Structures are given as C-alpha cells and as structure tokens.
Amino acid sequence: MTRDRSAQETESTDVVVIGFGAAGVCAAIAAREQGVQVIALDRANGGGATAISGGIVYAGGGTKVQQQAGVSDNFEQMLAYLRLEVGDAVSDQTLASFVRGSSEMIDWLTKYGVPFDSTLCPYKTSFPNNRYYLYHSGSENAGAFRSHTPPVQRGHRVKGRGTSGKELYTPLAKSAVALGVQFHPHTKARKLVQDSAGRVTGVEAFTMSHAPARVRRWYTTLAAVSTKPGIYYPPLRRMVERRLGRLERRYARPVRISARRGVIVCAGGFIANTEWVQRFAPQYLTGLQLGTSGDDGSGIALAQSVGAVTERMDNVSAWRFITPPSAFISAIVVDEKGQRIIDESRYGAAVGQAMVRDHGGKGWLLADAALMKEARRQLIEQTLWFQRAQVAALMLTDSVRAPSLPEVARAAGIDPDGLLATVEAHNSAIDAGTPDPTGKPAEFVRRISQGPYTLLNISVRPSLLNPTPMLTLGGIKVDERTGAVVDDAGAAIPGLYSAGRTATGICSNSYVSGLSIADCVFAGRRAGTHAAAESHDQTSDHPAR
C-alpha cells in the first residue's frame, strides 16, 4: 500500500524559524528562553553560510576575551569606530544598543558552548592562523579611522582549527535542541500562511522527513557537498543541486506548520541568485558566491509575498584581501592607469569595493624586491594552508616581474607613465616626511626603490585559485526595535520577523570580518525575544488563507 504524498500534514507551535544558520539558531534559542515552543526549518543540514565561515564575531567595549588579552576598549571607542563603518545602515540608537550589548553577547555565546581564546595576533592580517584568536578584523588600523579612535582588536575568532565557523554553529545548534527546539532539516518553506486580517500565522513547506532512511542519508551527504566544496566549484554545486531536486520531486511531502505567535525568516541573502545579482548589482557577477545554495533570495521573496519591502539590494561586499603576508600592506595597489586605489591598510572588503565601484574591478599590487623577499619569508609563519596556496598561486601564476618600473608596467598592461608618477609621489612623501597620499599610517609605509619589481594581479574576476568572495548586504526592512518585518508604509506586518542577511542590519552599509555574524546574533536574539512575546490575545481567530 502506497502512502499519498500529496496529503498535507499539519503541525503547530508558538514560533516558526525559517533558516537555521547563525541568525536562525540564535532566534530559536532566544524564543525558547522565553518559554515558548519553537520549530526551526532548514532546507539543508543547518548552519547556512555561518558553518563554513571563518567564525569571526565582531565584539568589543571590554569583552572578557579582550580583558584576558590585556586589550583596553570601551563603549565610546567601539561606537566611534562603528559609526564610521556602519553609517546610516541603522539608527544611532540601534547601533548604540548593539555596542552596549557587545560584551554580554560574547558571554551569551560562551554560555551556549561557543569557545573563544584571548591569544592576540601580533600582525595585521585578514584571518589569523591557528595560533591567534583576537585580532584587528576591520579597518581599525587604517589612517582614516585611527585619527578618530585608537585601533583596538575586536575580531573574536571562535577557537578551532582552520575556518572555525562550524565551531560556532555546532554548539549553538546542540544547545537549541537541548533547550527543546524542534529542528526539521531538509524542509523547504514555500509559502507564508496569513489569516483574513493579514497576520502571518504559519508556513507551508515541503519536507524530506518521511523519505526512507537511506534516501535521507544520501540527501544529507549531497547537501553537505553542495555547501562545501560546492561553494568553491560552482559546476559541482549545480550538479548536486539537480540531484537534490530529483530527490525532492520524488520523496518530499507537504507540511503546514501553524505559528501561534510568529514566524521568523532567517534564510540568508541572495548571492546565489545570479538573476537577482544581475538585476540589483551587476558589477558583482564575477566573484565567488560566499554562501550556500540557500542564499538564493527565497527568504526575501517569502517576506515580499506578504508585503515586505527591501532596501540596499545593490550593496554587495567584495573581498579582495592582500594579507597575509603582512608585508603586502606596505606595497601599493594601483589601477590600469597606474594610480593608487586606496590606503592598503584598509580591510579587504573596502579594497574590493573601491576596485569594483571606481576602477572596473582592476587592480595590481606593486612590490619591490625587498618587500617580495619579506613576503615569501612570511608565507609559512603567517598563513593557514588555503591562504598559503592562494598567495603562492598569486606569486607564481598571476604576477609579472621586470627590472624597471616601465617594463613591469608594460608587462602587466598598466600605463608606465602613470605608475612612475605614482611611485614618485609615494617615495617623495616619505622623503619629505609628509603623510602618505592615501592616508596610510606611517608604520606601514616603505619606499619602493629596489628592483626587480613585481606586479601581482588582484583584479576581481572568476578564479579557482584566487577568487573574490562576495556576499549580499541588502534585504528586507525591519523595525529596528523588534525585528518585525515592515511594509511600504513602515507598519509592522503582524506575526512576521526577520534577522541575518535576509534583512538589513548593522553590516548592511560596510562590512568588516565578524560584523555579519555579530549582527546575526544581535538581530536573531531580538527577533526571537519579540516573536515569543506576542501574546495569545494578539493572535487572531480569522481563518487562514
């Protein structure tokens, strides 16, 4: 006897969370802390982009980790720095709330099993090796920022070997389940349910939970492959996603989950949706999609289907890191005209943004012989294996070298006269004791004078060996006090909340390492707490539609 797969099952709970990455798991835990029932859905295995990330949490103001490391920080210093980065992405009140709760956020994560370490990284880098876990993860050291507030290490790398995002997600997920969160993996939300008054009262989804055990195991494996290594090799991801689709068409069954208090959408951004990137931010099509296949905008679309509005959809973060090795901070980044692009001590997302928006995505790193020698010496001591491979590939296959500046410029396709003028201005400022033309702090500035000269091509383009990771920062607009999704009139859509990259937040203007995860924790907890607080008398008895 075969079972009718078209028959829709029903469940009910207080709060439904769609997407079980950093924002989703924090929302689920926060809701359970209020004593309500929670069901969390994830189309894959859970973890989202967080589980494959570097596991950096941007926090400060005097966290316990900073105190243990002997780092002096306070509310005013952190707020001053983030005001420069965050801009008008959120209100002053929201940013102040985020900063004020930053230290407690680290305590909260620690309470639920997330491990931190206070070992300070002694050099400037995009991501420290396995010896160091607290570092300058943004542009704190850059001239435009240190003139306003002292540079302070606020990048809290979760303790774990390699990229340690999984060390952040795994204990949080285990804690959520231990607290009573019902987690339904391999369950894809397809529609938000509303009552006749427009209140969101549940979710319709398709789930693989009733498939045979062998099929579920195979689905789990394929979902993991799609996430990683699929992120680095798009053809593999596309092939795996087709196989997942075939399994879904054969085995997935509909389920309807009623939410007595609220639904929280935490389903990631839209970097995996090429059509949307083409529509909203076409200049960012050539980067590495830094996310899972679930970062396809489906969560944003769900919210839009019930009246949500979006903002900052053209804002994409493109990462063009030039460190490690740290010696490269003292090199200069130039465009096709040979002109400087940016203060090289800026965070990699600022470098990438400047290249994409103002220089057609083109950029080269100019280093002289002495600097290249130092960079090679730092390759072993400062890098993790994947960084070492990327830098070695850059040096060996994506660089040109020549005895003179005009020759190396011509070999790279750069205007020789422009490069000569730029180097002369750079060196003249050093000789005269005047500030660097781009504002780079003096401690990172060195003369470019000893041939042979090397130009390393760091242009934004498709590359397996040296890709430019990108993630979307725009999304649906929410009430900054509660995390409730709002409509075009600014009114909250009853019963609907959002957090993480599905929504705009702290990092939606300018990204630095750790700010997205920190925003996921901050906004996830906010949404979970307020969704759980929706009283039963606020829910309606109107029939669902």
Side-chain angles (χ1 to χ4, degrees):
M1 178 178 177
T2 59
R3 195 168 183 178
D4 181 10
R5 291 199 308 114
S6 65
Q8 180 172 262
E9 293 192 359
T10 59
E11 297 184 54
S12 64
T13 187
D14 290 315
V15 173
V16 175
V17 178
I18 301 174
F20 207 54
V25 71
C26 290
I29 290 174
R32 280 298 298 145
E33 287 177 331
Q34 304 304 307
V36 302
Q37 294 180 339
V38 180
I39 290 178
L41 316 178
D42 196 277
R43 66 192 293 173
N45 302 332
T50 296
I52 57 172
S53 74
I56 310 300
V57 181
Y58 197 89
T63 70
K64 286 183 179 178
V65 177
Q66 288 178 314
Q67 292 175 29
Q68 291 166 3
V71 172
S72 177
D73 194 13
N74 58 48
F75 169 83
E76 289 77 15
Q77 289 178 168
M78 183 178 178
L79 183 63
Y81 172 72
L82 284 182
R83 275 179 175 153
L84 298 172
E85 292 281 15
V86 172
D88 63 352
V90 296
S91 68
D92 286 343
Q93 294 88 343
T94 298
L95 183 59
S97 176
F98 171 77
V99 173
R100 192 174 293 109
S102 183
S103 181
E104 185 273 335
M105 175 180 66
I106 294 297
D107 295 340
W108 187 85
L109 291 170
T110 302
K111 171 185 174 182
Y112 288 113
V114 179
F116 293 100
D117 188 288
S118 60
T119 310
L120 276 173
C121 186
Y123 51 85
K124 174 68 176 171
T125 184
S126 60
F127 188 80
N129 62 28
N130 291 325
R131 293 192 295 272
Y132 307 115
Y133 291 92
L134 183 62
Y135 74 116
H136 292 108
S137 67
S139 291
E140 300 91 350
N141 274 309
F145 294 88
R146 64 165 60 185
S147 62
H148 292 271
T149 182
V152 174
Q153 297 93 335
R154 300 191 183 98
H156 289 60
R157 179 186 167 202
V158 175
K159 188 169 186 179
R161 296 187 63 80
T163 52
S164 48
K166 58 186 176 296
E167 305 301 335
L168 182 144
Y169 171 72
T170 301
L172 287 178
K174 288 181 177 178
S175 295
V177 172
L179 285 170
V181 173
Q182 299 177 58
F183 176 43
H184 296 352
H186 314 152
T187 302
K188 187 178 297 185
R190 65 181 186 88
K191 181 182 178 182
L192 294 175
V193 179
Q194 292 176 281
D195 64 20
S196 59
R199 180 182 183 82
V200 175
T201 58
V203 180
E204 290 184 0
F206 283 105
T207 181
M208 295 288 291
S209 62
H210 299 286
R214 59 177 178 79
V215 174
R216 295 199 305 273
R217 288 193 296 269
W218 181 229
Y219 194 97
T220 300
T221 299
L222 288 175
V225 171
S226 174
T227 300
K228 193 176 183 179
I231 185 175
Y232 299 112
Y233 189 55
L236 173 63
R237 171 173 282 182
R238 288 192 291 269
M239 179 191 72
V240 171
E241 287 299 315
R242 286 194 295 270
R243 294 189 177 185
L244 286 168
R246 287 197 292 268
L247 291 175
E248 290 166 0
R249 286 189 292 273
R250 182 173 179 182
Y251 294 103
R253 293 174 55 185
V255 60
R256 183 174 180 135
I257 307 171
S258 297
R260 291 182 288 271
R261 295 175 183 267
V263 174
I264 310 173
V265 184
C266 306
F270 64 92
I271 193 62
N273 188 327
T274 303
E275 180 184 339
W276 279 26
V277 176
Q278 173 70 55
R279 185 193 313 172
F280 297 112
Q283 66 271 46
Y284 293 97
L285 283 169
T286 58
L288 172 73
Q289 298 175 351
L290 190 63
T292 70
S293 56
D295 287 289
D296 60 358
S298 56
I300 297 172
L302 275 176
Q304 286 180 304
S305 72
V306 295
V309 293
T310 59
E311 57 183 355
R312 301 178 188 268
M313 295 289 278
D314 61 341
N315 200 358
V316 174
S317 182
W319 303 354
R320 181 40 82 202
F321 294 119
I322 63 172
T323 63
S326 60
F328 279 159
I329 299 178
S330 297
I332 62 172
V333 176
V334 298
D335 62 11
E336 286 182 297
K337 297 178 181 179
Q339 297 174 350
R340 290 278 289 281
I341 290 177
I342 196 171
D343 168 1
E344 292 80 13
S345 66
R346 289 291 302 277
Y347 177 68
V351 176
Q353 183 183 65
M355 287 171 57
V356 171
R357 292 191 174 180
D358 303 322
H359 301 272
K362 300 292 184 66
W364 288 263
L365 195 68
L366 174 66
D368 68 4
L371 197 146
M372 286 299 296
K373 183 178 180 180
E374 182 175 350
R376 291 190 187 95
R377 190 168 61 246
Q378 292 171 343
L379 262 184
I380 300 300
E381 62 188 46
Q382 291 188 358
T383 58
L384 293 169
W385 71 268
F386 65 90
Q387 295 170 316
R388 197 171 308 137
Q390 289 176 345
V391 177
L394 181 65
M395 290 180 174
L396 293 173
T397 66
D398 255 350
S399 66
V400 293
R401 188 172 68 163
S404 71
L405 288 170
E407 288 174 289
V408 77
R410 283 190 287 269
I414 293 173
D415 177 27
D417 293 335
L419 186 65
L420 279 171
T422 294
V423 173
E424 182 179 352
H426 173 268
N427 288 342
S428 295
I430 296 173
D431 296 340
T434 57
D436 176 78
T438 65
K440 182 158 66 176
E443 68 195 74
F444 299 125
V445 177
R446 299 190 202 178
R447 283 184 59 84
I448 299 172
S449 57
Q450 180 182 347
Y453 301 95
T454 301
L455 278 166
L456 301 105
N457 192 342
I458 59 170
S459 298
V460 177
R461 58 213 163 118
S463 172
L464 269 178
L465 293 175
N466 195 22
T468 304
M470 296 185 182
L471 77 159
T472 56
L473 302 179
I476 57 178
K477 189 173 182 178
V478 297
D479 182 318
E480 293 180 19
R481 184 182 61 84
T482 63
V485 175
V486 299
D487 61 20
D488 57 0
I493 297 173
L496 186 62
Y497 299 80
S498 186
R501 299 287 58 78
T502 303
T504 53
I506 301 293
C507 67
S508 291
N509 177 58
S510 177
Y511 179 84
V512 300
S513 279
L515 201 55
S516 180
I517 291 180
D519 180 57
C520 286
V521 179
F522 171 76
R525 293 175 68 190
R526 177 181 66 190
T529 299
H530 283 90
E534 291 257 13
S535 63
H536 285 285
D537 57 15
Q538 285 179 290
T539 64
S540 72
D541 295 322
H542 296 280
R545 56 183 171 89

